[in-house]
Amino acid sequence: MVTAGAHGPMGINPISLAWLAELQAEHGIFDGAAVAELGPQDIRAPEALLRELLRLDDAARLPTVGEDVYRILGAGSYCAIDRFDDRAAVAMDLNQPYEGAAAFDVVTNFGTAEHVFNIGEVFRTVHRLTKPGGVMLHSLPALGHIDHGFWNIHPKAYISLAHFNGYELLGFWYVPDAFFTGFDIVRGRAKLDVEPFRVAGTDAFGTHEFSRTAGMRFIRNAIERVNAGYFRNPSFGMVDYCQVALRKVHDRAFAYPFERHREPG
């Protein structure tokens, strides 16, 4: 059995669910948390995997949307923010500055920021929505999926955000071939194995070595998917994702990062 929402091709897939469950197990980020979600998310995962990851017994109702997952993990309240989705409690144009209070313990950004032209303002809004000590969760495309949105967000962007704003990095997953890998897990064609996604250190990000490695892996994955006939559906696309958890340590104004140096050559 597959649980799938009707409002988007990705939503929260099995890889993201595993990430959320791991963050909760290691850091308890959802315990009693007030959660804000940028764009209401649907859940797309096999029933057995949902029950395993969320520790649900056979009698428990399966989650179908992000709010269900957050509450199962321990959240105390939930607020969705979106300009166009009528399921959202708050209609907000994320291109515009948010000047309200920092009211949330967890703010999620699952595939939303890349669709907002003023993307820097999205990261500022996430910062301003989050209480000191709260956690910001970003799951966004890094490479590929041309014209999926306005932007891809490279790994060094999150490292720079953390550096300039004094965030604590709780976890970083780099997920190659995220769409098709998640699709295969949903369809029962592949097992969930998250070990290759965990990034032990971030020093490599921004280097030519990392760029070459990620690029060559992307090409190999694309060739394999073409040969296997995955691109018969024109809505499918190759894409690598970053899944990043950042804790807001300080109660201070958001600082926009800038690149202070680049590798020569």
Side-chain angles (χ1 to χ4, degrees), residues 5-250:
H7 296 269
M10 294 272 306
I12 298 179
N13 70 9
I15 298 167
S16 297
L17 280 169
W19 180 57
L20 292 174
E22 181 171 288
L23 287 167
Q24 175 60 17
E26 294 182 356
H27 303 284
I29 65 172
F30 289 104
D31 291 344
V35 177
E37 185 170 58
L38 302 188
Q41 298 295 305
D42 300 290
I43 306 304
R44 189 172 180 85
E47 177 179 339
L49 189 57
L50 275 173
R51 295 194 184 280
E52 176 187 348
L53 291 173
L54 300 176
R55 300 181 180 180
L56 300 174
D57 60 34
D58 291 341
R61 183 178 69 87
L62 290 174
T64 60
V65 293
E67 178 181 5
D68 296 341
V69 170
Y70 308 140
R71 290 192 183 277
I72 289 169
L73 292 174
S77 64
Y78 169 85
C79 176
I81 299 169
D82 194 290
R83 184 179 183 183
F84 300 108
D85 196 319
D86 58 13
R87 298 175 295 172
V90 177
M92 181 190 301
D93 180 0
L94 293 171
N95 284 293
Q96 304 303 319
Y98 169 75
E99 304 299 348
F104 299 96
D105 304 294
V106 176
V107 178
T108 73
N109 175 25
F110 281 95
T112 295
E114 75 268 26
H115 301 289
V116 181
F117 193 82
N118 193 6
I119 191 170
E121 198 61 52
V122 179
F123 288 106
R124 178 180 179 270
T125 292
V126 170
H127 175 94
R128 289 187 60 86
L129 285 167
T130 307
K131 298 175 183 176
V135 175
M136 299 158 284
L137 303 178
H138 301 286
S139 179
L140 302 171
L143 177 63
H145 217 165
I146 301 301
D147 276 350
H148 167 73
F150 290 121
W151 313 108
N152 284 344
I153 301 87
H154 296 164
K156 69 160 69 173
Y158 305 100
I159 306 306
S160 296
L161 277 169
H163 174 74
F164 278 80
N165 289 282
Y167 299 155
E168 176 189 0
L169 181 63
L170 296 185
F172 200 126
W173 286 15
Y174 188 88
V175 185
D177 195 15
F179 187 98
F180 287 134
T181 300
F183 180 84
D184 279 352
I185 295 169
V186 168
R187 298 298 179 187
R189 298 173 181 170
K191 299 284 188 180
L192 176 63
D193 178 13
V194 302
E195 188 60 37
F197 307 145
R198 297 188 183 98
V199 176
T202 58
D203 290 344
F205 291 150
T207 66
H208 289 317
E209 180 181 359
F210 175 79
S211 298
R212 283 193 296 268
T213 300
M216 292 301 295
R217 181 171 51 198
F218 184 90
I219 293 168
R220 287 196 302 270
N221 288 337
I223 291 170
E224 290 175 4
R225 296 301 188 181
V226 169
N227 291 338
Y230 277 73
F231 287 92
R232 295 191 186 103
N233 186 327
S235 69
F236 286 179
M238 288 294 304
V239 62
D240 291 3
Y241 257 66
C242 291
Q243 297 187 165
V244 188
L246 301 166
R247 188 184 299 279
K248 181 180 176 181
V249 178
H250 306 289

